[in-house]
Amino acid sequence: MAAMQQLSGNSTRPVAFSRCNSVSGLIGLSSKSRLLFFRTTLKPRPLRRSFSVKNVSSETKQNQKDPVPSQEATTSLGPFTPDAASIASSIKYHAEFNPLFSPELFDLLKAFFATAQSVRDALIINWNATYDLYEKLNVKQAYYLSMEFLQGRALLNAIGNLELTGPYAEALSKLGYKLEDVAGKEPDAALGNGGLGRLASCFLDSLATLNYPAWGYGLRYKYGLFKQKITKDGQEEVAEDWLEMGSPWEIVRNDVTYPVKFYGNVVSGSDGKRHWIGGEDVNAVAHDVPIPGYKTKTTINLRLWSTKAASEDFDLNAFNAGKHTEAYEALTNAEKICYILYPGDESIEGKILRLKQQYTLCSASLQDIIARFERRSGSTVNWEEFPEKVAVQMNDTHPTLCIPELMRILIDLKGLSWKDAWNITQRTVAYTNHTVLPEALEKWSLELMEKLLPCHVEIIKMIDEELIQTIISEYGTVDLDLLENKLKEMRILENVVLPEAYADIFVKPEEAPTIPSEELQNSEEEDDDEEEEGEEEEATGEMDITNEVGIKDKKEELPEPVPEPPKLVRMANLCVVGGHAVNGVAEIHSEIVKDEVFNAFYKLWPEKFQNKTNGVTPRRWIRFCNPDLSELITKWIGTEDWVLNTEKLAELRKFADNEDLQTQWREAKRNNKMKLVAFLKEKTGYSVSPDSMFDIQVKRIHEYKRQLLNILGIVYRYKKMKEMSAAEREEKFFPRVCIFGGKAFATYVQAKRIVKFITDVGVTINHDPEIGDLLKVIFVPDYNVSVAEKLIPASELSQHISTAGMEASGTSNMKFAMNGCILIGTLDGANVEIREEVGEDNFFLFGAKAHQIAGLRKERAEGEFVPDPRFEEVKEFVRSGAFGPYDYDELIGSLEGNEGFGRADYFLVGKDFPSYIECQEKVDEAYRDQKRWTRMSILNTAGSYKFSSDRTIHEYARDIWNIQPVELP
């Protein structure tokens, strides 16, 4: 009763609630009363819970003083399951009072926002309760820092996790809309680009579902990477507009703001501490997005940072003087930090902006984490307990600055010693490596970093010096060549002279040369002769001009001085040194990390290195995106428990030859193919036959992922078709639709050439009347999560054909296998483990193995590679102009020669080409036998049980973070 009185303002009478069926029933209530109404009607599960009207995520001064949330007036709410009528009332309320829209119309976009906000009301209840519990129990919490979170659309996922899909569909039907149409108006959150960001989002889903106390941290990119358009010129980039209308999911926390500093100087104060003064200051502002678990009350948080400058940084005098651009320069400089994901770094300005982004993520997140630790600790903060309460996971090298930033805060702001701070940092931080590609093992200019982050460079130099001491202690100074090699390989600072304390290790004492007396006498006689000649020249007053010229010539012939190599900071080395765990993301990748990428570190600290094979959430990637297949799996397994325990998918194996299941399996696949046919027509204008095989390669466009190999294989197929009669073509080839999707980075010229080539080939083939439906090539523009959710359920063959040893893991291969798609690929990344689980007969394997790659490149460099005639034939066909007037010499030229940048076929397209096209012939043969193909499809789904992100998260929680599940009562 007391709570009712409190929530109704100053009234001393309880508020009487009725289940309103229209928005008019809510208008007379106070805002607090409306809040209680929504908490009552939209409570997702029968339960009794105490609610307090407060923002548990805010880091206010009052909260920081009180480690235990105060017990506010509460009310116990009786069990209630939301029905369609109450949900419809909530949606209508949000439609009426949403400030983004005028009240006159209730169109699809407005319906989406109102629906999403009504779902958010339900999420906030669980969200606040989740963090109330974490605060009270003071549990150890994991914090996942990533530059990308590729979430996709959230509406269907959220109501699916809340088990409210049916009631929401019915409610929207009452309002005149279909749930699918409303959900289709949601833009994908433009917070990522590829597998790195999608993995992070899958992890958040699993963390919430498994009730692990965790939080995600990222940046709120206003324009994302870019929106991709495909024109006659290939890929064009335009700014992403996902935030144009705002986001109904995020909550801006203007009270959660942290300062982030750049430039300036480090000075020693009278207190003996270092002080970072001057420079440029920006504020990082928190935007929170609730992440619900599946069939659980746990709702965790993704906190995204935006950046802005303080209002006093706006130069009012300059503005009034007409210097408008100058007046808001500081504001623009602050805001642009979070404009774009991965701004081009060809220019120095681009490099600075990228480094600013990385530091903003690290600094704001760590300040937030530390504020939470201090608040939960109460009046007495024991920093030794920090690693017992906090686990920080760096997703790739982008958050590496967490290490020096945590050191800076602990030493300079909290007063800890270097030894204590370093011990705490190493026990807190862990690193996930995602690539063996050199460009992804980030290196930053030391000079640039000294200017932008002077305080952190001092710390990095001290860490490097400590590492040098460790290396010297390990290897000694007897074998100086060995020691020199180890230092060169392992140091954090590259091309930087040794610190003064170690400078004399490699200095050898100079010895006076021993000259035989006979040589010494001859030398003296030669000197006498030269002196006599000089005296004669002086006497005559004539100089030998020829000799002068000769001397000049000799000077000009001296070799040019070799420029000093750039001084760099190796971020990956800093990650390995500063963290307590380093993990690869697939078994083969983790072995390469130990044997090649970080071999010296592995020999020094073998206990640090682990494997954590990636995984994907089965909720989004089967249950919600493929309802036809999901229903079929549940029917044949006899339970829906597989959504949480994917091990049960393996039970499908015993039904793989059942004709009834095979028939139903093919029907489910065809339904998905029909949906994709309509989608492709809408997005590209091309009509394709659902009776064709759907062959799909969707991923970031990169030379190592070898979309070029795929399209050259298609060109070979097309050329052979053109050389046959119609009857021969029909007999030889089964109809195939080849679908591509993915973005080429805006400054990656070769990748953009590949996109242009694919689209040119598509235009030619798709308009060739002789070929018809036997072969189609489609490039789907602006590939994202929502597009993937349409493509993957309809796929029959999926290409994962990277050069062996270069793909860390991949996650799309897992999604395709889960949806009954057969893979063609190399033994690379997670392909190795997928093939082991689904069976060798159910995976199309080709290509060189990882251990052969170095030798094959050496063979090429020595001019010993002999290309297959079929490969030469395809290149000549491309050069003939068969696919239009565009000059593809640069693209094809990259596959030729024996050495040189952009030459010599570094990614072994030519080497693997014959193996690839022969493997594709086996694909054609298998697909003609639909019973065999369907069996393979079922076994792929059954064998994908291992690749749930739930399994991966359990391993991280156990082996790296040491956190335990905490479930709400």
Side-chain angles (χ1 to χ4, degrees):
M1 181 69 74
M4 287 295 208
Q5 292 169 354
Q6 179 178 335
L7 290 173
S8 60
N10 297 322
S11 173
T12 57
R13 294 175 299 166
V15 177
F17 285 100
S18 62
R19 293 183 189 172
C20 306
N21 290 318
S22 70
V23 72
S24 59
L26 295 169
I27 293 175
L29 301 179
S30 70
S31 60
K32 290 183 177 180
S33 299
R34 284 197 299 271
L35 175 61
L36 185 56
F37 165 77
F38 286 113
R39 284 181 161 174
T40 308
T41 57
L42 288 179
K43 189 156 46 56
R45 254 168 228 92
L47 54 90
R48 293 177 66 85
R49 185 182 298 157
S50 297
F51 298 107
S52 56
V53 184
K54 68 189 187 69
N55 170 12
V56 301
S57 303
S58 294
E59 314 296 352
T60 62
K61 291 182 180 178
Q62 181 179 355
N63 282 340
Q64 290 173 9
K65 291 178 182 177
D66 184 4
V68 180
S70 59
Q71 299 298 315
E72 301 183 20
T74 58
T75 182
S76 295
L77 302 174
F80 177 76
T81 302
D83 57 19
S86 62
I87 289 172
S89 294
S90 172
I91 293 171
K92 290 165 73 176
Y93 167 76
H94 282 291
E96 179 76 13
F97 291 100
N98 190 326
L100 294 175
F101 298 92
S102 58
E104 292 85 7
L105 298 175
F106 185 64
D107 60 9
L108 266 177
L109 184 60
K110 187 174 182 179
F112 158 67
F113 267 82
T115 303
Q117 287 171 331
S118 75
V119 176
R120 191 184 72 176
D121 289 342
L123 296 181
I124 287 175
I125 299 170
N126 287 345
W127 189 22
N128 281 338
T130 299
Y131 280 94
D132 269 336
L133 185 63
Y134 294 171
E135 293 277 312
K136 290 171 183 174
L137 298 179
N138 192 15
V139 295
K140 183 174 184 180
Q141 191 165 321
Y143 299 96
Y144 197 81
L145 272 65
S146 177
M147 288 294 284
E148 297 186 46
F149 286 92
L150 196 59
Q151 289 181 285
R153 292 169 174 164
L155 179 58
L156 292 180
N157 189 73
I159 62 175
N161 279 359
L162 291 170
E163 299 179 88
L164 291 174
T165 303
Y168 265 91
E170 186 180 346
L172 285 168
S173 179
K174 290 176 182 292
L175 298 174
Y177 287 116
K178 293 181 179 179
L179 174 59
E180 294 78 10
D181 294 337
V182 172
K185 297 303 291 184
E186 180 177 5
D188 277 39
L191 299 172
N193 176 38
L196 184 80
R198 186 51 239 171
L199 177 77
S201 292
C202 281
F203 277 9
L204 293 186
D205 177 272
S206 287
L207 284 163
T209 297
L210 301 173
N211 302 300
Y212 281 114
W215 214 331
Y217 280 107
L219 296 182
R220 181 181 179 267
Y221 304 107
K222 186 174 182 179
Y223 301 113
L225 185 70
F226 58 81
K227 183 178 287 186
Q228 182 192 51
K229 291 187 175 181
I230 300 298
T231 69
K232 61 181 178 63
D233 297 317
Q235 171 180 294
E236 291 186 5
E237 305 89 22
V238 296
E240 177 62 69
D241 59 356
W242 76 287
L243 283 174
E244 203 163 72
M245 296 296 292
S247 169
W249 303 108
E250 68 180 17
I251 299 173
V252 184
R253 306 293 193 189
N254 288 311
D255 58 331
V256 184
T257 302
Y258 296 100
V260 179
K261 181 182 286 294
F262 305 106
Y263 302 108
N265 298 292
V266 182
V267 297
S268 296
S270 56
D271 56 0
K273 294 182 179 179
R274 299 180 314 160
H275 299 274
W276 189 4
I277 61 172
E280 174 186 314
D281 296 296
V282 304
N283 292 323
V285 182
H287 298 249
D288 288 348
V289 181
I291 308 294
Y294 178 71
K295 289 189 176 183
T296 178
K297 302 167 195 173
T298 300
T299 300
I300 65 172
N301 190 33
L302 170 58
R303 176 159 283 181
L304 303 171
W305 301 107
S306 67
T307 45
K308 67 177 184 180
S311 56
E312 57 263 28
D313 289 338
F314 177 73
D315 192 338
L316 190 59
N317 291 329
F319 192 86
N320 288 332
K323 300 176 182 179
H324 300 155
T325 302
E326 180 183 320
Y328 56 76
E329 182 179 7
L331 279 67
T332 302
N333 284 338
E335 291 173 0
K336 73 181 180 182
I337 291 172
C338 293
Y339 273 175
I340 299 292
L341 169 65
Y342 302 142
D345 59 356
E346 300 295 315
S347 65
I348 186 64
E349 292 80 8
K351 289 179 171 65
I352 290 170
L353 189 55
R354 278 211 190 189
L355 194 54
K356 280 185 172 183
Q357 286 185 334
Q358 295 186 5
Y359 180 59
T360 298
L361 170 64
C362 296
S363 180
S365 301
L366 281 171
Q367 289 182 72
D368 197 41
I369 291 166
I370 287 171
R372 191 170 301 106
F373 170 75
E374 290 179 316
R375 187 181 69 251
R376 291 180 182 178
S377 297
S379 57
T380 305
V381 178
N382 181 356
W383 287 105
E384 183 62 26
E385 291 181 353
F386 189 77
E388 306 304 322
K389 297 297 182 182
V390 171
V392 174
Q393 189 69 34
M394 300 182 297
N395 192 28
D396 216 340
T397 52
H398 307 125
T400 304
L401 289 168
C402 278
I403 294 167
E405 175 67 358
L406 183 54
M407 292 287 289
R408 180 188 74 85
I409 294 173
L410 293 177
I411 296 171
D412 294 349
L413 303 184
K414 305 303 176 183
L416 273 68
S417 68
W418 171 273
K419 181 181 178 182
D420 289 341
W422 185 232
N423 177 267
I424 290 167
T425 299
Q426 286 188 304
R427 290 164 55 208
T428 301
V429 177
Y431 162 53
T432 299
N433 174 274
H434 282 279
T435 185
V436 300
L437 293 177
E439 64 265 27
L441 294 173
E442 289 183 296
K443 296 181 182 181
W444 285 101
S445 161
L446 178 61
E447 181 183 6
L448 185 151
M449 192 175 282
E450 282 176 324
K451 290 178 181 177
L452 192 70
L453 301 169
C455 193
H456 297 76
V457 169
E458 285 188 8
I459 294 170
I460 290 169
K461 286 180 177 179
M462 293 172 73
I463 296 172
D464 184 62
E465 188 166 347
E466 189 154 311
L467 174 63
I468 291 169
Q469 177 59 52
T470 302
I471 295 169
I472 292 172
S473 298
E474 178 70 18
Y475 293 100
T477 57
V478 175
D479 188 340
L480 289 179
D481 288 338
L482 173 65
L483 178 61
E484 189 172 18
N485 288 334
K486 291 298 178 183
L487 289 169
K488 186 176 180 180
E489 181 181 0
M490 299 174 71
R491 283 189 64 191
I492 296 163
L493 300 179
E494 183 176 342
N495 302 322
V496 176
V497 297
L498 286 169
E500 199 170 314
Y502 306 101
D504 60 349
I505 289 178
F506 297 103
V507 176
K508 297 177 182 178
E510 292 186 11
E511 295 181 5
T514 303
I515 303 174
S517 57
E518 187 178 337
E519 289 184 15
L520 184 61
Q521 183 178 350
N522 291 338
S523 175
E524 288 172 352
E525 289 175 357
E526 288 173 6
D527 289 343
D528 291 342
D529 292 341
E530 287 174 4
E531 285 175 12
E532 288 174 5
E533 288 173 6
E535 289 171 0
E536 286 177 5
E537 288 169 355
E538 279 184 40
T540 59
E542 294 178 1
M543 295 294 293
D544 188 345
I545 298 173
T546 306
N547 187 44
E548 278 193 340
V549 174
I551 292 171
K552 271 189 184 176
D553 289 343
K554 284 181 182 177
K555 285 181 181 178
E556 288 174 1
E557 289 172 6
L558 290 174
E560 291 289 330
V562 178
E564 285 190 19
K567 297 177 180 179
L568 303 170
V569 180
R570 296 160 156 170
M571 306 303 269
N573 288 24
L574 180 54
C575 285
V576 176
V577 174
H580 66 89
V582 180
N583 71 278
V585 289
E587 287 179 2
I588 185 174
H589 170 239
S590 295
E591 290 306 308
I592 292 172
V593 164
K594 291 189 291 187
D595 296 343
E596 298 176 26
V597 182
F598 298 125
N599 181 252
F601 290 108
Y602 173 64
K603 289 178 177 177
L604 186 61
W605 300 307
E607 70 284 353
K608 279 193 181 188
F609 290 81
Q610 305 182 20
N611 174 61
K612 296 287 174 278
T613 299
N614 283 342
V616 300
T617 167
R619 270 75 63 185
R620 182 179 286 271
W621 293 112
I622 311 184
R623 178 67 182 85
F624 301 145
C625 79
N626 197 344
D628 290 339
L629 185 62
S630 297
E631 290 173 12
L632 197 55
I633 292 170
T634 299
K635 173 185 173 182
W636 283 84
I637 290 178
T639 177
E640 202 182 43
D641 289 350
W642 61 267
V643 181
L644 285 170
N645 302 300
T646 52
E647 291 82 2
K648 292 185 179 294
L649 289 174
E651 294 181 23
L652 287 170
R653 286 171 173 159
K654 61 188 177 186
F655 305 115
D657 293 306
N658 186 289
E659 291 187 5
D660 289 339
L661 174 58
Q662 287 201 358
T663 300
Q664 294 165 23
W665 198 271
R666 284 192 291 269
E667 287 174 359
K669 182 65 73 174
R670 185 173 176 82
N671 288 342
N672 288 320
K673 290 173 72 175
M674 291 298 294
K675 293 175 187 175
L676 182 55
V677 167
F679 174 78
L680 293 177
K681 177 67 175 175
E682 176 190 351
K683 289 296 181 183
T684 70
Y686 286 122
S687 297
V688 300
S689 169
D691 297 320
S692 305
M693 178 206 292
F694 281 19
D695 171 353
I696 299 178
Q697 185 181 19
V698 283
K699 49 187 76 228
R700 179 166 52 95
I701 309 295
H702 197 291
E703 288 172 276
Y704 91 84
K705 293 180 183 286
R706 298 203 295 190
Q707 287 91 351
L708 185 55
L709 175 60
N710 185 351
I711 192 62
L712 288 175
I714 293 168
V715 168
Y716 179 79
R717 187 182 189 89
Y718 174 62
K719 186 174 186 296
K720 293 301 148 188
M721 284 181 173
K722 294 292 287 182
E723 293 168 354
M724 295 177 180
S725 66
E728 288 173 325
R729 281 195 293 269
E730 293 288 341
E731 182 180 353
K732 172 72 173 174
F733 296 103
F734 196 92
R736 191 183 291 209
V737 178
C738 302
I739 301 170
F740 293 83
K743 294 179 180 179
F745 190 64
T747 58
Y748 189 174
V749 176
Q750 193 74 326
K752 293 179 77 169
R753 287 191 186 115
I754 292 170
V755 174
K756 167 67 174 166
F757 183 43
I758 293 169
T759 55
D760 281 354
V761 170
V763 168
T764 300
I765 293 176
N766 298 343
H767 292 93
D768 190 330
E770 290 184 354
I771 300 304
D773 284 339
L774 271 181
L775 185 60
K776 297 289 186 186
V777 179
I778 312 289
F779 193 101
V780 182
D782 207 37
Y783 177 67
N784 56 23
V785 174
S786 296
V787 174
E789 289 171 334
K790 293 179 175 64
L791 292 174
I792 291 173
S795 62
E796 293 172 289
L797 180 73
S798 180
Q799 307 220 20
H800 303 273
I801 57 177
S802 52
T803 311
M806 302 202 75
E807 184 75 87
S809 173
T811 53
S812 64
N813 45 9
M814 302 171 184
K815 297 162 196 166
F816 280 102
M818 277 185 174
N819 284 270
C821 179
I822 293 97
L823 309 187
I824 179 172
T826 53
L827 282 181
D828 196 26
N831 283 0
V832 178
E833 292 159 81
I834 291 174
R835 183 169 176 262
E836 289 173 357
E837 295 300 330
V838 305
E840 295 180 7
D841 294 339
N842 305 304
F843 184 105
F844 293 104
L845 177 67
F846 76 94
K849 309 300 188 292
H851 69 274
Q852 299 173 321
I853 301 302
L856 291 169
R857 287 179 178 145
K858 183 172 182 290
E859 176 186 87
R860 182 71 180 244
E862 293 171 354
E864 296 176 5
F865 171 68
V866 179
D868 187 277
R870 292 167 290 185
F871 186 58
E872 296 301 290
E873 180 185 346
V874 165
K875 290 193 297 180
E876 288 307 309
F877 187 50
V878 173
R879 282 190 165 122
S880 72
F883 303 105
Y886 186 85
D887 185 357
Y888 281 109
D889 277 350
E890 290 292 335
L891 180 64
I892 301 302
S894 71
L895 307 174
E896 297 173 335
N898 294 322
E899 57 186 356
F901 180 77
R903 304 278 292 177
D905 193 12
Y906 184 78
F907 301 100
L908 304 183
V909 173
K911 175 65 182 179
D912 281 350
F913 185 79
S915 175
Y916 176 70
I917 60 174
E918 288 160 12
C919 191
Q920 285 285 11
E921 290 172 1
K922 295 176 183 177
V923 171
D924 286 327
E925 179 186 350
Y927 194 78
R928 288 183 182 276
D929 183 349
Q930 278 293 290
K931 184 175 180 180
R932 175 190 170 192
W933 189 271
T934 306
R935 182 179 188 275
M936 294 171 71
S937 176
I938 295 169
L939 290 173
N940 264 266
T941 298
S944 66
Y945 71 91
K946 181 181 176 181
F947 303 105
S948 165
S949 52
D950 294 354
R951 180 264 315 155
T952 315
I953 285 300
H954 276 312
E955 293 180 2
Y956 272 96
R958 180 193 66 214
D959 302 334
I960 297 178
W961 304 332
N962 191 27
I963 59 173
Q964 301 297 322
V966 179
E967 189 169 1
L968 272 73

